[in-house]
Amino acid sequence: MARNPDRRRALADAGLRVLAESGARGLTHRAVDTEAGVPLGTASNYFRSRDALLGALGERIMERFAPDEAVIAELAARAPSRELFIDYMRYIVERTTRQPELTRALIELRLEAARRPGLAASLGQTLRRGYRDDVAYHATTGLAGGPYEIALLHYALDGLLLDMLTTSIEADTDPDTVVATFVDRLVFGDPHENGERTP
């Protein structure tokens, strides 16, 4: 079994580029080797099966989406408030749209997991761990809401990102305003019906 962690990460990054550009059908060990510029057979030495390759890509996406510790420290230094909650959410959108190919690759992985039980198990563990980590971190912030509200925000943000990074419904909305509305309605229970932000 190949053990070079830098090579493994480079191959996973190449796999994510293939997945984002060509979809799950285009993702093969050979395509990863070609994208990474390594000899044929290299990817299969690191990822023995297609499920192993796909599972490793899910793990690598989460590594690359990890927040900047300096930004998190700056946010954590502020007093809990609605505005702080919105800024946390905006930072998530900024991180995931700064690297749109990663978010598209994650969408592809989630679709493929619906067809592959092995991938569903490994990717599901990764996604659920991320959710649990979000809930645990949120509990340290003093911000409003709990696990249920965090789940609602995950569902809402996933839909927003899907619209922003794939074919859009073109509702002519500003993502910053949408994020603020998510927080207001899903966490603070703002009953506004006209789509405007609460001042």
Side-chain angles (χ1 to χ4, degrees), residues 82 86 177 180-199:
R82 167 189 174 273
I86 291 168
T177 302
T181 303
F182 286 165
V183 171
D184 284 340
R185 295 192 181 183
L186 300 178
V187 179
F188 292 97
D190 181 6
H192 277 248
E193 297 179 359
N194 59 6
E196 295 178 3
R197 283 181 54 183
T198 301

Side-chain angles (χ1 to χ4, degrees), residues 31-137:
V32 172
D33 288 335
T34 300
E35 178 66 26
V38 297
L40 295 180
T42 303
S44 61
N45 286 335
Y46 282 82
F47 313 109
R48 294 292 185 182
S49 67
R50 182 170 172 78
D51 278 348
L53 173 59
L54 289 163
L57 297 189
E59 291 284 347
R60 183 62 177 149
I61 286 174
M62 296 309 165
E63 289 174 7
R64 290 185 57 186
F65 274 150
D68 183 317
E69 290 185 8
V71 174
I72 292 299
E74 182 180 322
L75 290 168
R78 293 166 50 188
S81 66
R82 167 189 174 273
E83 290 71 24
L84 177 60
F85 204 137
I86 291 168
D87 285 344
Y88 271 111
M89 300 303 292
R90 286 178 174 151
Y91 181 51
I92 293 171
V93 173
E94 188 273 326
R95 283 195 343 257
T96 51
T97 56
R98 183 189 329 133
Q99 302 178 81
E101 71 285 353
L102 287 184
T103 302
R104 290 188 188 106
L106 180 56
I107 292 167
E108 288 283 349
L109 276 176
R110 292 182 75 164
L111 290 171
E112 187 68 4
R115 299 181 283 268
R116 301 180 71 87
L119 176 60
S122 63
L123 183 61
Q125 286 181 349
T126 299
L127 294 173
R128 288 186 288 275
R129 184 172 62 246
Y131 166 68
R132 289 192 303 269
D133 289 347
D134 287 347
V135 170
Y137 178 77

Side-chain angles (χ1 to χ4, degrees), residues 131-152:
Y131 166 68
R132 289 192 303 269
D133 289 347
D134 287 347
V135 170
Y137 178 77
H138 184 81
T140 71
T141 64
L143 291 167
Y148 182 63
E149 287 75 19
I150 298 301
L152 292 178

